[in-house]
Amino acid sequence: AQRVTQPEKLLSVFKGAPVELKCNYSYSGSPELFWYVQYSRQRLQLLLRHISRESIKGFTADLNKGETSFHLKKPFAQEEDSAMYYCALSGLSGSARQLTFGSGTQLTVLP
Amino acid sequence: EAGVTQFPSHSVIEKGQTVTLRCDPISGHDNLYWYRRVMGKEIKFLLHFVKESKQDESGMPNNRFLAERTGGTYSTLKVQPAELEDSGVYFCASSGGAEQYFGPGTRLTVT
C-alpha cells in the first residue's frame, strides 16, 4: 500500500533560519513526489515536483530512493513561507495518477 | 484563465439530508479528481474521472456517495443521506497532465 508520512504536525522557525520539512514514503514501484502548499485562505497549490528538479521560492527537495524520503528544505526561511505544507505521491501511469497525501506540516516562521 | 471552481463554498445540513457539491474544472482538462479531508485526518482520494468516465472510484467510502461528470465537463458529488462523519472539506482538482490544480474546496458540515 502506498503511504506518505510527515512526522511533524507543527514546525516553528525564526526568520532567516534554515527549515526542513520531512517526508517519507512507501510505494511499490516508481512514484512521482510532490510538495503542495496551502497559504492562509488560499487554495492548495503545487510547490515542487521531484521530476522537474526546480527551486521554487527558494525551496528545494531531493528524492532519496534509498531512504524513501523527499524532504523539503530552504536555507533562509521568510515570514511569507508560513503555511501548511503537504507531501504527496502519485503513480506514473494514467490510471494511478491520484495523489496520496501526508497529514501535512504547519510551518510558522517567526519574526 | 479561471481556475477550478467549486460550489457551494460552505454547506450546513442535517443528518439524513442530501447535499450535492459541484466542481467546474479548468477548460480542456480531461482529468477530474475528488478528494476530501475529514477533521484531523489527511486529504484522501475519492475518485478520478477521465472525461465522463470513472477511471478509479476506489476511494469512495460507501454507496451514499455518487459522483457524475456529465458530458465530461463539470462534475457533481452527491451525498445521500448525509451522516455526521461526512463532515469535512471536499476538494476537486483537474489536470491535463501530471500537475493537478485544486479548487478552493467545499466545507460540508453535517449536524
Side-chain angles (χ1 to χ4, degrees):
Chain A
Q2 54 200 59
R3 186 176 179 87
V4 177
T5 303
Q6 293 180 250
E8 304 134 330
K9 281 196 185 311
L10 302 170
L11 183 62
S12 294
V13 299
F14 285 102
K15 176 183 171 182
V19 62
E20 180 180 51
L21 288 81
K22 291 185 168 41
C23 172
N24 289 87
Y25 67 91
S26 63
Y27 188 81
S28 55
S30 295
E32 183 164 5
L33 274 295
F34 305 84
W35 277 97
Y36 278 82
V37 60
Q38 189 169 26
Y39 300 101
S40 178
R41 288 191 284 277
Q42 293 187 28
R43 62 186 66 193
L44 206 57
Q45 58 187 281
L46 179 66
L47 181 63
L48 284 177
R49 297 170 62 191
H50 91 266
I51 282 179
S52 59
R53 302 183 68 83
E54 292 175 305
S55 172
I56 306 292
K57 298 185 179 183
F59 285 97
T60 59
D62 290 318
L63 180 62
N64 185 322
K65 292 185 180 179
E67 296 182 358
T68 59
S69 68
F70 188 56
H71 304 326
L72 184 68
K73 300 177 185 179
K74 185 169 182 177
F76 307 104
Q78 303 300 313
E79 289 181 69
E80 56 264 30
D81 297 329
S82 295
M84 189 72 163
Y85 290 81
Y86 293 95
C87 183
L89 68 77
S90 76
L92 293 176
S93 65
S95 63
R97 274 297 190 181
Q98 66 269 25
L99 293 166
T100 297
F101 285 90
S103 53
T105 297
Q106 179 68 49
L107 174 66
T108 302
V109 181
L110 304 167
Chain B
E1 179 189 326
V4 177
T5 57
Q6 293 187 245
F7 183 83
S9 57
H10 194 178
S11 178
V12 181
I13 60 171
E14 293 183 353
K15 176 182 168 181
Q17 290 185 320
T18 297
V19 63
T20 300
L21 314 180
R22 174 172 169 143
C23 168
D24 285 79
I26 292 172
S27 177
H29 280 187
D30 287 341
N31 296 283
L32 188 150
Y33 302 82
W34 284 98
Y35 297 88
R36 75 171 180 177
R37 181 176 59 214
V38 296
M39 180 103 68
K41 303 272 183 82
E42 60 264 28
I43 301 169
K44 290 221 164 165
F45 165 76
L46 295 178
L47 87 158
H48 170 203
F49 283 100
V50 177
K51 297 185 181 178
E52 69 275 9
S53 300
K54 290 176 186 173
Q55 176 77 24
D56 182 353
E57 52 183 332
S58 61
M60 295 286 262
N62 52 61
N63 60 10
R64 295 186 293 103
F65 289 74
L66 175 65
E68 294 180 326
R69 190 181 182 193
T70 308
T73 55
Y74 70 91
S75 175
T76 58
L77 180 65
K78 183 161 71 172
V79 185
Q80 179 183 30
E83 298 288 345
L84 297 178
E85 64 264 25
D86 300 332
S87 295
V89 181
Y90 290 75
F91 296 100
C92 174
S94 73
S95 76
E99 180 174 353
Q100 295 185 25
Y101 295 84
F102 280 78
T106 293
R107 181 173 294 279
L108 174 64
T109 303
V110 183
T111 63

